[in-house]
Amino acid sequence: MNDTFLSFGLHRPPSDPSLHLEAVSLNAVARDYGTPCFVYSKAAILAAYQEYCHAFQGFSPLICYAVKANANLAILRLLARQGAGFDIVSGGELYRVLKAGGEAQKVVFSGVGKSIKDMDEALMAGILCFNVESSAELRRLAERAQVLGVRAPISVRVNPEVDAQTHPYIATGLRSSKFGVDAATARRLYREAADSAYLRVVGIDCHIGSQITTLEPFLEATDKILELVHQLEQDGISLDHIDLGGGVGIHYQNETPPALINYALALSQRLHDFKGRLLFEPGRRIVGNAGVLLTRVEYLKDIPDRQLAIVDAGMNDLMRPSLYHAWHDIVAVEERSVTTSSLVDVVGPVCESSDILGTQRNLALEQGDLLAILSAGAYGSSMGSQYNARPKPPELLVDGDTVTLIRQRETYDDLIRHENVGD
Ligand code: LLP
């Protein structure tokens, strides 16, 4: 095990060398709650949030946690209590934030396809800002604000056309991306918004992609945004905030993600003229390394040239390896005292050849062994489905030696709750 891995609350106490999260044995969690299950460390989530607050404290930041990364109510509440804001992309996410005790005044609304219903709900709730992504969206938003007799606070999401050097499915700032608008269009939209009685310009926004492990793309994007901010000033438009989005990467395999303090230092050299505050929309960096997916080996199976460990978690529970060929470290909760381990492919029970959680892993395994799939706190449960009629797994939040069930394991009844057999 390397140090990065140890620092997120996972460790093997000398007295009991099985894997623990904070002071809780993952063996005990599996015994009490069954597998598969997601287990998160409260301390790791708080530490990641605090890293943002401390690094950017000179910019009066508002850290708007990207709900899509992990939308569990308990996690939202934990962050709301720390004073976090939220980045949402749907009326459903707004509903979750408000249910969890989040403040509408700290919510920014991203996304290219906001429906009338989404807009109306957010306008009535009184959110901080709509991150507008097209001319048609700006028009619709002004119309809805007029109908509801309110003024909609807006930022324009600018596509700074930088290459975030990440997986193409999670890069959003390329020229060809569906997200945001180019700088010239943004300037036009700002003039339109400034002239509207139903819109109020409050900020500017960009988000260039996800799992970005160097600072350069962020700084390149910031420079382009600042250029536009200056042009807007010439147009007589001043902004309360600059929202630099999320996207800072985490450790999955051998990445060395940037320390936020270095991001903050680089920004302070660029932002001395800006009097407003900074917003960020981190998701993965807050919860990604804070959680594991626990799973049990159902069978070992040899096929030509390969050994398989067939486990009870599948692509429906953790879609990232199938969808992006993403790497998640996989470790045995109880390490076997054998000197030889072998390379195994860890696969799930779902009837799809792409149901692979990890290939060619160096593990010594027997049937029934418990495995922890690491860095599963972000885009794990939130992207999960019931495919193959598999009830969604429970989620547990560990705090010291206490375990709280923050989502129950779904039942078969949950699978059919909204269906009707008809005649
Ligand atoms: N803001 C906006 C507008 C976004 O679209 C996203 C993520 C975020 C913030 C948060 O990004 P983060 O800090 O988590 O990188 N399912 C993929 C990731 C998709 C990210 C989508 N947008 C994955 O599992 O890697």
Side-chain angles (χ1 to χ4, degrees):
M1 256 189 289
N2 62 38
D3 288 347
T4 314
F5 167 36
L6 286 174
S7 69
F8 296 107
L10 279 168
H11 61 121
R12 296 185 190 273
S15 55
D16 167 9
S18 71
L19 198 62
H20 284 56
L21 187 61
E22 300 195 25
V24 170
S25 146
L26 293 179
N27 266 327
V29 170
R31 181 196 64 216
D32 296 346
Y33 298 94
T35 54
C37 66
F38 287 95
V39 198
Y40 312 122
S41 156
K42 180 175 171 183
I45 296 172
L46 291 179
Y49 176 74
Q50 289 305 333
E51 189 195 357
Y52 261 94
C53 297
H54 290 142
F56 297 105
Q57 59 189 347
F59 301 103
S60 349
L62 180 64
I63 312 304
C64 296
Y65 168 67
V67 173
K68 64 173 83 67
N70 188 322
N72 186 289
L73 289 182
I75 290 177
L76 300 182
R77 167 154 302 197
L78 182 64
L79 291 167
R81 286 196 173 144
Q82 298 297 307
F86 296 93
D87 167 52
I88 60 164
V89 290
S90 67
E93 286 191 348
L94 176 60
Y95 178 80
R96 281 185 170 277
V97 166
L98 298 178
K99 278 280 175 207
E103 291 169 58
Q105 248 313 302
K106 292 182 177 174
V107 168
V108 297
F109 197 156
S110 304
V112 292
K114 300 177 191 78
S115 67
I116 288 175
K117 184 169 183 288
D118 287 335
M119 284 181 177
D120 287 359
E121 287 164 5
L123 283 169
M124 293 317 288
I127 66 166
L128 174 64
C129 186
F130 287 85
N131 292 337
V132 173
E133 305 223 15
S134 65
S135 169
E137 182 189 334
L138 192 73
R139 226 172 303 128
R140 176 183 272 181
L141 186 59
E143 280 164 20
R144 296 317 303 168
Q146 181 173 15
V147 169
L148 297 175
V150 293
R151 214 166 170 164
I154 68 119
S155 279
V156 175
R157 175 166 174 186
V158 181
N159 179 351
E161 297 181 11
V162 299
D163 183 356
Q165 286 156 7
T166 185
H167 191 284
Y169 283 11
I170 53 178
T172 51
L174 297 173
R175 202 180 167 78
S176 57
S177 162
K178 72 172 177 178
F179 298 101
V181 298
D182 61 80
T185 308
R187 200 168 174 187
R188 185 169 55 74
L189 294 186
Y190 273 110
R191 279 198 221 107
E192 238 177 270
D195 288 343
S196 164
Y198 303 104
L199 301 173
R200 183 161 44 87
V201 173
V202 294
I204 190 165
D205 169 54
C206 78
H207 170 79
I208 55 172
S210 205
Q211 185 53 16
I212 300 168
T213 52
T214 61
L215 286 179
E216 285 71 30
F218 292 112
L219 301 179
E220 208 185 309
T222 306
D223 288 339
K224 294 200 174 163
I225 293 291
L226 287 175
E227 226 176 278
L228 188 52
V229 171
H230 290 134
Q231 289 172 2
L232 293 175
E233 274 163 9
Q234 286 159 19
D235 296 343
I237 296 169
S238 66
L239 307 172
D240 302 337
H241 73 245
I242 298 178
D243 179 345
L244 292 174
V248 182
I250 62 167
H251 170 88
Y252 284 105
Q253 185 177 12
N254 46 22
E255 306 87 343
T256 41
L260 296 179
I261 192 69
N262 293 335
Y263 189 6
L265 288 173
L267 288 183
S268 60
Q269 288 161 7
R270 291 167 163 78
L271 283 161
H272 32 75
D273 283 346
F274 183 67
K275 300 282 177 288
R277 66 174 172 169
L278 277 191
L279 267 55
F280 293 94
E281 303 169 356
R284 191 190 312 267
R285 182 77 174 215
I286 305 290
V287 290
N289 285 136
V292 302
L293 173 58
L294 270 189
T295 183
R296 208 173 276 287
V297 177
E298 295 279 14
Y299 302 103
L300 296 174
K301 174 174 175 176
D302 289 331
I303 56 171
D305 307 327
R306 293 219 163 208
Q307 255 203 316
L308 304 180
I310 302 168
V311 299
D312 63 5
M315 64 187 284
N316 67 300
D317 303 309
L318 182 66
M319 204 196 239
R320 305 192 68 256
S322 316
L323 192 56
Y324 316 114
H325 290 137
W327 175 283
H328 286 255
D329 279 338
I330 301 178
V331 298
V333 169
E334 208 133 4
E335 281 177 323
R336 296 199 163 275
S337 56
V338 289
T339 45
T340 51
S341 50
S342 48
L343 291 177
V344 293
D345 285 1
V346 179
V347 304
V350 171
C351 294
E352 296 271 348
S353 296
S354 61
D355 183 23
I356 297 167
L357 296 163
T359 48
Q360 297 298 283
R361 302 307 173 92
N362 199 10
L363 291 163
L365 293 179
E366 284 186 15
Q367 186 167 343
D369 280 0
L370 197 56
L371 297 175
I373 304 179
L374 308 191
S375 305
Y379 306 109
S381 181
S382 63
M383 291 177 77
S385 77
Q386 297 172 334
Y387 185 42
N388 278 207
R390 289 167 49 80
K392 284 193 70 176
E395 293 175 273
L396 302 143
L397 186 64
V398 167
D399 179 12
D401 59 3
T402 309
V403 182
T404 307
L405 182 63
I406 58 172
R407 181 186 168 100
Q408 291 178 13
R409 185 180 300 285
E410 285 184 351
T411 63
Y412 291 154
D413 275 344
D414 291 324
L415 296 179
I416 59 170
R417 191 168 304 284
H418 302 291
E419 293 174 37
N420 184 341
V421 280
D423 292 335

